[in-house]
Amino acid sequence: MRVLFVATELSYEPQGIMSMSAVLKQGGHDAALTVADIEDPVAYALNFKPDILAYSVMTGSQRGYFELNRRLRDELNPRRAAAGQKPVFSVFGGPHPTFFPDMITEPGVDGICVGEGEGAMLDLADALARRNGTYDTNLPNWWFNVDGEVVKNLPRPLIHDLSALPHPDRALIYDKYPDLAASKIKHFISSRGCPYACTYCFNHAYYQIYKGERRGQQRSVDDVIAEVKAVRARWPLEQAVFIDDLFVIYNDWLEEFAEKWPREVGLPFFANVRANLLVKDPYKVELLKKAGCGTVSMGIEAANDRIRVELLKRRMSRQDMIDAGRMVRAAGIHITATNILGLPTSTLEDDLDTMRLNGEARI
């Protein structure tokens, strides 16, 4: 199958698309990318002649993607019909379809992927490659619209061995975006998931889909280092940004990382942390310093105790955040923070207090 990933724009490397592309290519399929803000996606699609159109969609952007999908189908399908081919198959995945799967009824949507996409996309491409007028709709993670009838399949288990996946297909992105390829700062991911249930984050809803699953799957240190070294061998790289939801969950992993990263890579890196974890276990800060961490970010979100603990389910104290920030700074590591203004029931004074708390924490 020929799979065309379609995006409206890219700010930095989309980990999901790159990973799915690598899995598809490993499985013998072709994958390409078109990005609407730098080229005409219709012209690109007509040249590439895809069998599958694939969209990764966040809530708020879905209407634009529905319209883009309609335009592509209107141009591709008459040509496919004239060649005796089935209509192009349009699939949507990512946050919006995962949490709002009823969008399967939208015109032009043939399938939506709920949850992780690597195995699901490979299954679909394999199934469509084998079809003779029909295809197997019993594919985990997929909802299908078959002539107006919605077929709903349960998700498969989460991928537990992330290191078994091929390294993300970065050429898919960097060949399209020379500026991203030339950037000396590149984004990586060493784990998936988070054990916490902050109400503003997707994780608490994600694990309602994946009930009973371990909340945090980790790649091996060796696999992460191998990917970073492969990227540095091909493209400029002077700083790694780890976009994991939470980088400091497992101390045994951090110990190995702190031992091997400086010796084998030796680059500064950015990672996300959590204040109460650092205060409870200062050893984590020691390990980050030993590894060569240059910057961390932690969630402050709100200074008001009621808003932070009861509304956001951030079960940590104001003092935890002050102490964590000062610990990190004392270790010679820069620190940034995320904050949410205008929360329900908050006041302007609450938001100003949140800014003052950032100062106390030496953000």
Side-chain angles (χ1 to χ4, degrees), residues 3-5 10 14 16-22 25 30-35 44 168-177 234-235:
V3 181
L4 179 61
F5 292 98
L10 295 178
I17 290 176
M18 294 192 304
S19 185
M20 286 184 288
S21 176
K25 289 179 178 179
D30 293 327
L33 169 73
T34 183
V35 186
Y44 189 94
D169 180 11
R170 290 177 179 267
L172 184 82
I173 308 301
Y174 295 155
D175 288 352
K176 185 73 64 174
Y177 272 90
R234 186 169 177 184
W235 296 284

Side-chain angles (χ1 to χ4, degrees), residues 63-339:
R63 291 294 161 193
Y65 275 108
F66 293 154
E67 173 59 23
L68 182 54
N69 180 55
R70 183 197 62 77
R71 288 171 48 207
L72 289 166
R73 290 167 68 94
D74 285 350
E75 292 293 336
L76 290 168
N77 283 339
R79 290 166 172 80
R80 290 179 65 85
Q85 297 174 303
K86 299 293 181 184
V88 67
F89 203 85
S90 296
V91 297
F92 291 72
H96 189 72
T98 291
F99 298 117
F100 301 98
D102 288 339
M103 60 160 278
I104 187 63
T105 59
E106 290 285 340
V109 177
D110 296 309
I112 63 162
C113 177
V114 176
E116 285 184 327
E118 287 93 348
M121 278 298 293
L122 182 59
D123 282 354
L124 179 66
D126 287 345
L128 292 175
R130 292 190 299 264
R131 74 176 181 176
N132 293 309
T134 61
Y135 62 96
D136 182 8
T137 60
N138 185 30
L139 299 177
N141 294 66
W142 285 106
W143 287 27
F144 294 113
N145 189 333
V146 183
D147 298 326
E149 179 183 351
V150 176
V151 177
K152 304 177 183 180
N153 294 296
L154 295 174
R156 75 197 67 212
L158 289 172
I159 300 171
H160 296 154
D161 184 6
L162 296 176
S163 296
L165 293 169
H167 289 163
D169 180 11
R170 290 177 179 267
L172 184 82
I173 308 301
Y174 295 155
D175 288 352
K176 185 73 64 174
Y177 272 90
D179 289 347
L180 283 180
S183 173
K184 297 175 182 179
I185 301 173
K186 291 183 168 63
H187 297 76
F188 301 85
I189 189 165
S190 71
S191 65
R192 295 182 184 179
C194 176
Y196 296 96
C198 305
T199 54
Y200 55 87
C201 177
F202 76 94
N203 272 296
H204 71 285
Y206 196 65
Y207 288 107
Q208 292 174 20
I209 298 171
Y210 289 102
K211 287 184 172 65
E213 286 277 9
R214 179 185 181 185
R215 295 190 173 202
Q217 312 296 332
Q218 191 87 50
R219 293 171 63 188
S220 73
V221 170
D222 288 341
D223 187 47
V224 173
I225 288 177
E227 181 192 356
V228 174
K229 290 170 71 173
V231 170
R232 183 168 61 177
R234 186 169 177 184
W235 296 284
L237 179 62
E238 294 184 5
Q239 179 173 333
V241 175
F242 288 105
I243 60 171
D244 307 41
D245 295 324
L246 186 54
F247 192 76
V248 294
I249 300 177
Y250 306 114
N251 275 11
D252 56 349
W253 190 92
L254 280 174
E255 287 174 343
E256 184 182 353
F257 183 83
E259 184 66 33
K260 292 180 176 179
W261 179 270
R263 183 176 68 244
E264 299 186 34
V265 179
L267 292 177
F269 63 92
F270 166 97
N272 289 311
V273 299
R274 184 177 166 97
N276 60 329
L277 286 184
L278 300 188
V279 173
K280 181 180 179 181
D281 186 5
Y283 182 46
K284 294 181 186 293
V285 179
E286 293 180 32
L287 291 173
L288 288 170
K289 180 178 181 179
K290 179 180 177 181
C293 180
T295 307
V296 300
S297 181
M298 70 179 185
I300 286 182
E301 316 309 359
N304 181 284
D305 292 337
R306 177 189 58 81
I307 293 173
R308 186 180 63 259
V309 176
E310 296 179 17
L311 180 66
L312 301 183
K313 307 301 182 189
R314 299 276 296 170
R315 304 189 189 283
M316 64 184 71
S317 71
R318 182 182 183 120
Q319 193 61 46
D320 282 341
M321 292 179 281
I322 294 171
D323 292 345
R326 293 179 177 180
M327 286 169 54
V328 168
R329 289 291 297 273
I333 300 172
H334 297 290
I335 184 167
T336 67
T338 55
N339 299 271

Side-chain angles (χ1 to χ4, degrees), residues 319-361:
Q319 193 61 46
D320 282 341
M321 292 179 281
I322 294 171
D323 292 345
R326 293 179 177 180
M327 286 169 54
V328 168
R329 289 291 297 273
I333 300 172
H334 297 290
I335 184 167
T336 67
T338 55
N339 299 271
I340 307 176
L341 307 182
L343 283 160
T345 74
S346 71
T347 66
L348 178 58
E349 180 56 33
D350 289 326
D351 291 344
L352 292 172
D353 193 31
T354 295
M355 295 300 97
R356 288 190 284 269
L357 176 55
N358 277 258
E360 290 181 77

